[in-house]
Amino acid sequence: MKKSFAVIGLGRFGSSIVTTLAETGHEVLAIDSNEDRVNEYMNIATHAVVANAQDESVLKSLGIRNFDTVVVAIGENLQASILVTLMVKEMKVKSVWAKALDSYHARVLEKIGADRVIHPERDMGVRIAHSLIANNFVDYFEISPDFSMAEIKVFNPKFINHTLQDLSFPKRFNVQISAIKSATGDVTIATADTIIHERDSILVVGKTQDVEYLDEILYRV
Ligand code: ATP
């Protein structure tokens, strides 16, 4: 079932969320107090409105409480970010995601009930740093401070043209392989019979230290 979203604040962060949600066929209401920004998203979002989200009656008239998820993507204006998050939560929206500028801002957003607090700059920095450290991470996601998921390119010939069953990743490396991506971008869910071909990359989940160790092994030629 398609979910409905409202995104408040069309800076770089909010606008890329709106664009991606719209591109993936989701209903998205885009709200910003800046008319020029709203005009840019008129033809992208399902609806785009110029409104001051700090005005509770405006939020009510937009039917904010009927959306499955509301993203508060206001950054610089702390007062607006906090007040809007609080009001949307009071309207009993089930899932409210809010952008934080720093850890103090994040603590306040958590305290007033934001269901998910996002730190885009910090999270992207962590992700990029792991890609820099690793040999051949194509992409990297931190699941928790100790666990991660990485897309790793396979160069080591010992792993090419073998099934996942033969390679026994869980036993040898303490990680799970969830999918394989070919050089052309086709993704296959991993099963015991899946074969790793030349130039494939694998989607690996495990403890960060195990994922990083596997990265080293897969890089060897
Ligand atoms: P980014 O880093 O994503 O570009 P930012 O952290 O610089 O964003 P801001 O520019 O502060 O964030 O805010 C993002 C958007 O939120 C702006 O387009 C701004 O007009 C909008 N905004 C700020 N306050 C309100 C408000 N009260 N109601 C609606 N929109 C608002």
Side-chain angles (χ1 to χ4, degrees):
M1 202 179 67
K2 289 261 157 68
K3 289 204 264 174
S4 61
F5 299 89
V7 177
I8 304 172
L10 299 173
R12 287 161 299 180
F13 176 68
S15 60
S16 59
I17 291 180
V18 168
T19 307
T20 307
L21 290 173
E23 278 173 359
T24 49
H26 290 88
E27 183 193 333
V28 52
L29 167 68
I31 304 166
D32 202 293
S33 48
N34 179 319
E35 193 174 346
D36 292 338
R37 295 223 168 149
V38 172
N39 284 339
E40 280 180 50
Y41 292 89
M42 281 292 181
N43 298 325
I44 296 171
T46 320
H47 301 285
V49 291
V50 183
N52 175 9
Q54 286 192 80
D55 184 338
E56 197 165 10
S57 60
V58 168
L59 289 180
K60 282 190 177 149
S61 68
L62 290 169
I64 281 294
R65 67 185 190 85
N66 300 318
F67 286 84
D68 295 314
T69 299
V70 175
V71 181
V72 182
I74 301 169
E76 297 283 301
N77 185 343
L78 276 189
Q79 181 187 317
S81 153
I82 293 166
L83 190 62
V84 172
T85 304
L86 182 67
M87 289 191 303
V88 173
K89 220 36 230 179
E90 281 178 352
M91 286 173 194
K92 306 260 182 289
V93 171
K94 273 215 194 83
S95 169
V96 179
W97 293 40
K99 169 183 156 165
L101 288 182
D102 55 39
S103 56
Y104 298 107
H105 187 186
R107 270 163 66 184
V108 176
L109 293 171
E110 275 160 15
K111 269 266 172 340
I112 59 174
D115 299 282
R116 175 93 177 252
V117 177
I118 320 138
H119 305 240
E121 286 87 1
R122 189 201 65 182
D123 295 349
M124 189 48 96
V126 170
R127 208 161 143 190
I128 300 284
H130 279 282
S131 297
L132 287 169
I133 298 161
N135 298 303
N136 47 344
F137 280 179
V138 180
D139 212 341
Y140 175 90
F141 313 90
E142 194 180 63
I143 300 172
S144 78
D146 297 330
F147 270 84
S148 48
M149 175 179 250
E151 183 186 334
I152 308 178
K153 224 177 177 71
V154 183
F155 290 102
N156 189 331
K158 287 187 185 147
F159 288 77
I160 312 276
N161 294 329
H162 290 287
T163 64
L164 292 181
Q165 179 155 24
D166 292 342
L167 293 166
S168 19
F169 284 97
K171 216 161 104 204
R172 288 166 67 200
F173 303 104
N174 201 26
V175 298
Q176 286 288 349
I177 311 300
S178 45
I180 310 278
K181 191 168 166 188
S182 74
T184 53
D186 296 328
V187 178
T188 336
I189 297 294
T191 66
D193 304 329
T194 308
I195 296 173
I196 299 183
H197 296 105
E198 213 169 329
R199 299 174 64 220
D200 278 356
S201 46
I202 57 175
L203 209 67
V204 185
V205 187
K207 280 196 166 165
T208 304
Q209 64 197 38
D210 296 327
V211 173
E212 284 175 353
Y213 175 67
L214 181 63
D215 168 63
E216 265 180 59
I217 302 282
L218 294 179
Y219 193 57
R220 288 183 195 154
V221 281

